[in-house]
Amino acid sequence: QVQLVESGGGLVQTGGSLRLSCATSQSIFDIYLMGWYRQAPEKQRELVATISKGGTTSYADSVTGRFTIFRNNAWDTIYLQMNSLQPENTDDYYCNSTCNYWGPGIQVTVSS
């Protein structure tokens, strides 16, 4: 079973930064797309950012210019660099790989 483990979340003040990490056990040969999603209570899980194996990235409009998704060369870890954080970014964040694997989620809280 493929395992995804998120880390790097926590509490940060408005305007601060966090870097989320997602370590995967999935083979590099099976990965074609990975991404980060967010989910608030009683809300649908929403896309934050994705990165393809070729390096193409996409972002939700609300985070464009502030968040950056990137990977290491081995494709065993992806990151979400979150800058200029606002209270509206408070949520649980989930890592996804190849559409069918999810991490357990990690909390991000931005205090005002």
Side-chain angles (χ1 to χ4, degrees):
Q1 178 70 31
V2 171
Q3 297 180 30
L4 305 177
V5 180
E6 301 102 338
S7 61
L11 175 65
V12 66
Q13 293 183 339
T14 297
S17 298
L18 286 174
R19 179 178 291 182
L20 303 184
S21 299
C22 173
T24 178
S25 64
Q26 190 170 19
S27 170
I28 186 174
F29 302 105
D30 296 326
I31 299 173
Y32 57 86
L33 185 73
M34 296 186 70
W36 290 95
Y37 295 73
R38 62 181 291 181
Q39 187 170 22
E42 301 182 356
K43 297 288 187 179
Q44 296 288 91
R45 191 166 294 184
E46 298 179 347
L47 174 69
V48 176
T50 62
I51 182 168
S52 74
K53 197 166 188 176
T56 300
T57 59
S58 64
Y59 299 91
D61 290 343
S62 61
V63 305
T64 297
R66 298 188 296 118
F67 290 11
T68 303
I69 186 171
F70 60 100
R71 60 167 178 84
N72 67 354
N73 191 54
W75 265 99
D76 58 10
T77 309
I78 66 166
Y79 306 88
L80 184 67
Q81 179 67 43
M82 302 184 292
N83 297 327
S84 301
L85 283 163
Q86 304 296 315
E88 67 192 65
N89 299 129
T90 294
D91 243 331
D92 292 328
Y93 286 76
Y94 297 84
C95 180
N96 174 270
S97 181
T98 61
C99 302
N100 56 346
Y101 296 107
W102 292 95
I106 191 166
Q107 172 67 220
V108 170
T109 302
V110 185
S111 65
S112 58

